[in-house]
Amino acid sequence: MTRGCGSDYDYIIRLIQYLDVRHNIRFFITSKDFDVLYRWWEKDIPESLLRESLDRVVERGRRRQSLPERFSAFSYEVRKNHQSFLQLGSGSRRQEAADPHAEFAEFLAKLPVELEFARDDFAALFAKRRQGEMPDSGPLEDRLLARFRDDDELNAKAAWFLKNLATALRRPEIERRYRLNYLWGKFGIPSLD
């Protein structure tokens, strides 16, 4: 599975991570929560709209001193904002950069020291993407996972994530996607979309 291609697990995990990182909100992810997130993915609701909706609900919860404890608590706000988005069309879309691949070059120019071992891999992936190909990031993902296998912070976050998933959802592919999305976010690796 290529990271950044809109896969359902990536989408879902990024939202769970967003709540954790942005708002320090963690709760047990039930099958119902997973279904709510999956429906948002099926509807192709933009992540930026979801983040705005999550932010609003959390802010209201903080004012009331009652933070959300389930993803269903966000459903009304997401539905309302998605309907407005659909009615207004894509007028709020950001301007496309003159060079849509400039972030690849910028990332390589400022490559974090921890990722120096994979510089050539990133350069090859980004070159293929610039040529219009959808590169297979599997080998790079495997190298990243192997390199950060003993990372205490990543292991603690992954353990917390799995502990807070319903048992039926605790599958190796979900843990893999969580770990990869964590690394992608931590190091600001550009999406291959």
Side-chain angles (χ1 to χ4, degrees):
M1 199 180 311
T2 302
R3 197 240 176 255
C5 292
S7 82
D8 50 357
Y9 291 160
D10 286 334
Y11 182 92
I12 290 166
I13 290 168
R14 281 193 300 269
L15 291 172
I16 294 168
Q17 288 174 326
Y18 180 77
L19 266 184
D20 178 20
V21 171
R22 170 80 180 202
H23 298 290
N24 199 29
I25 293 178
R26 302 173 195 99
F27 47 76
F28 185 79
I29 307 298
T30 64
S31 295
K32 184 177 178 180
D33 290 314
F34 202 83
D35 289 343
V36 167
L37 293 163
Y38 193 80
R39 277 194 303 277
W40 294 346
W41 176 77
E42 286 179 320
K43 291 178 181 179
D44 199 24
I45 299 175
E47 287 183 52
S48 59
L49 184 142
L50 289 171
R51 287 189 300 270
E52 290 172 19
S53 299
L54 297 177
D55 291 346
R56 286 184 192 141
V57 171
V58 169
E59 181 56 35
R60 279 196 305 265
R62 288 196 199 292
R63 284 194 305 261
R64 295 182 199 148
Q65 298 181 334
S66 174
L67 292 175
E69 296 178 355
R70 297 277 158 255
F71 272 99
S72 57
F74 299 100
S75 293
Y76 174 76
E77 187 75 22
V78 168
R79 185 172 37 255
K80 180 179 75 169
N81 292 338
H82 189 233
Q83 287 173 348
S84 294
F85 174 80
L86 293 175
Q87 289 173 354
L88 294 174
S90 57
S92 62
R93 254 192 243 172
R94 65 181 169 86
Q95 291 284 64
E96 291 300 319
D99 177 5
H101 305 294
E103 67 180 328
F104 298 153
E106 184 178 331
F107 174 75
L108 285 174
K110 298 177 181 178
L111 188 71
V113 173
E114 300 93 337
L115 299 180
E116 195 61 48
F117 74 97
R119 177 180 288 281
D120 293 341
D121 297 310
F122 282 113
L125 274 178
F126 296 158
K128 286 182 180 180
R129 192 65 193 109
R130 271 190 224 91
Q131 295 168 355
E133 296 177 37
M134 186 49 74
D136 176 16
S137 60
L140 172 61
E141 291 173 347
D142 291 342
R143 286 191 72 200
L144 285 170
L145 290 172
R147 180 61 159 238
F148 293 97
R149 178 179 340 184
D150 297 325
D151 184 272
D152 291 337
E153 181 180 2
L154 174 56
N155 290 335
K157 292 261 186 193
W160 166 86
F161 174 73
L162 290 172
K163 180 181 144 223
N164 286 293
L165 275 180
T167 305
L169 300 173
R170 294 179 192 163
R171 297 191 301 262
E173 65 269 18
I174 291 179
E175 179 181 3
R176 176 182 169 86
R177 296 314 317 161
Y178 179 87
R179 287 176 175 275
L180 288 167
N181 276 297
Y182 173 84
L183 293 170
W184 238 259
K186 177 179 180 174
F187 294 115
I189 302 169
S191 173
L192 295 173
D193 286 350

